Amino acid sequence: MRFAHLLDDAAIFPPGNLPLAAAVRAHLAHGLAPHAGLVGPLVVAAADLPALAEATAGLPAGSIELSVTVPEPAATGDLLDAVRRIRAVRAVAIEVAVPEHLRAEDVVPILTVAIGQPPGVTVYVELPRDARRELLLGELAGTSYLAKIRTGGVRAELYPDEAELAGTVVAAVRAGVAFKATAGLHHAVRNTDPATGFEQHGFLNLLAATDAALAGAGSDEVRGWLAERDGARLAARVGELSPAARDAFRSFGTCSIAEPVAELGALGLLTPEEV
């Protein structure tokens, strides 16, 4: 399946802000829907684990796959033990932020000591939007740790422009570091949000851009795919994705599962059974 587990369920994060108990119920419902194969783990912050234990108390063991965000590499140390104490969930990913004060060359050593390479758990390290980006990609290359790329947020300055994002995608592909994306990918196709005026990247744009970079395209061509606003042209390009594109671009966090599913369906990219 071209879009298998592409949509990480970040319903509790802005701008969705769904209450945790409601997010758990919605996530379970998505797991029973025709589009279940497109849905990845439920994403929660480490600070929300006690509330998650309460919200899932009556569920069978291992009912929910979980991705947990943490504020810094050292905070991963006791995280898996905390997750294991919640009977209904199973950690499949950890998403690690990199504070401004932390040097790129210190990230992997800290992670190695704190959590190592936990079996069955993918560790994503968020790339800083500064001079540490390529240094950190070099540190991640050849390890089991993957990258996390921030593609937006609740303020305009949190959105990288096409040139910055193209540079990040090309750098990640050339380093051989797979990645997930987070925030701002509210639609399939690049758009201007009518409520905020924010220029928003499309998740199909990012898929096409990743595939182009894997084929050897430079930043200018990759930037062109990130800027593309023609949904039909993007759908045709994504219809020809190489399998390597999904190996490189694993998933993205979305506060809505229903909206990307509907947009993929409208562009003719899903089978009738998936809609």
Side-chain angles (χ1 to χ4, degrees):
M1 184 191 298
R2 185 186 303 128
F3 304 112
H5 310 300
L6 179 65
L7 311 176
D8 290 348
D9 189 352
I12 69 170
F13 292 89
N17 297 315
L18 197 64
L20 183 57
V24 167
R25 292 193 297 271
H27 185 76
L28 292 171
H30 289 305
L32 298 174
H35 58 260
L38 282 68
V39 181
L42 180 67
V43 186
V44 302
D48 291 324
L49 289 177
L52 183 66
E54 182 177 345
T56 60
L59 297 177
S63 298
I64 296 176
E65 291 188 341
L66 205 64
S67 184
V68 186
T69 67
V70 296
E72 59 179 328
T76 60
D78 298 322
L79 183 65
L80 291 180
D81 286 339
V83 173
R84 291 186 188 106
R85 290 194 288 270
I86 306 175
R87 180 173 176 270
V89 305
R90 179 170 65 89
V92 297
I94 298 170
E95 305 179 24
V96 184
V98 176
E100 290 184 5
H101 68 269
L102 189 61
R103 300 189 310 166
E105 56 266 39
D106 292 335
V107 172
V108 169
I110 292 172
L111 282 172
T112 301
V113 171
I115 198 167
Q117 300 180 9
V121 179
T122 302
V123 179
Y124 292 97
V125 180
E126 184 168 336
L127 299 177
R129 293 177 60 198
D130 56 33
R132 296 174 296 166
R133 181 190 72 183
E134 295 203 32
L135 290 172
L136 183 53
L137 279 169
E139 295 292 322
L140 296 176
T143 75
S144 65
Y145 305 132
L146 306 186
K148 178 178 174 179
I149 298 175
R150 184 160 294 275
T151 47
V154 295
R155 302 187 310 276
E157 65 270 21
L158 295 176
Y159 286 82
D161 62 17
E162 293 105 322
E164 180 184 341
L165 185 54
T168 302
V169 170
V170 170
V173 166
R174 290 179 179 172
V177 179
F179 61 88
K180 71 165 288 182
T182 185
L185 296 174
H186 299 301
H187 296 286
V189 180
R190 183 167 181 86
N191 64 94
T192 304
D193 184 81
T196 63
F198 296 168
E199 295 297 317
Q200 296 182 335
H201 298 288
F203 62 84
L204 290 185
N205 297 78
L206 188 52
L207 272 171
T210 302
D211 200 41
L214 286 163
S219 292
D220 287 346
E221 183 179 341
V222 172
R223 180 180 178 180
W225 282 111
L226 291 172
E228 180 61 61
R229 293 175 182 253
D230 184 329
R233 184 167 185 252
L234 269 176
R237 179 66 179 80
V238 170
E240 300 173 352
L241 279 183
S242 67
R246 285 301 318 281
D247 289 337
F249 175 20
R250 300 293 178 88
S251 65
F252 69 95
T254 173
C255 61
S256 170
I257 297 296
E259 289 178 4
V261 169
E263 292 187 11
L264 286 170
L267 288 166
L269 291 171
L270 298 181
T271 66
E273 292 78 17
E274 292 172 323
V275 179

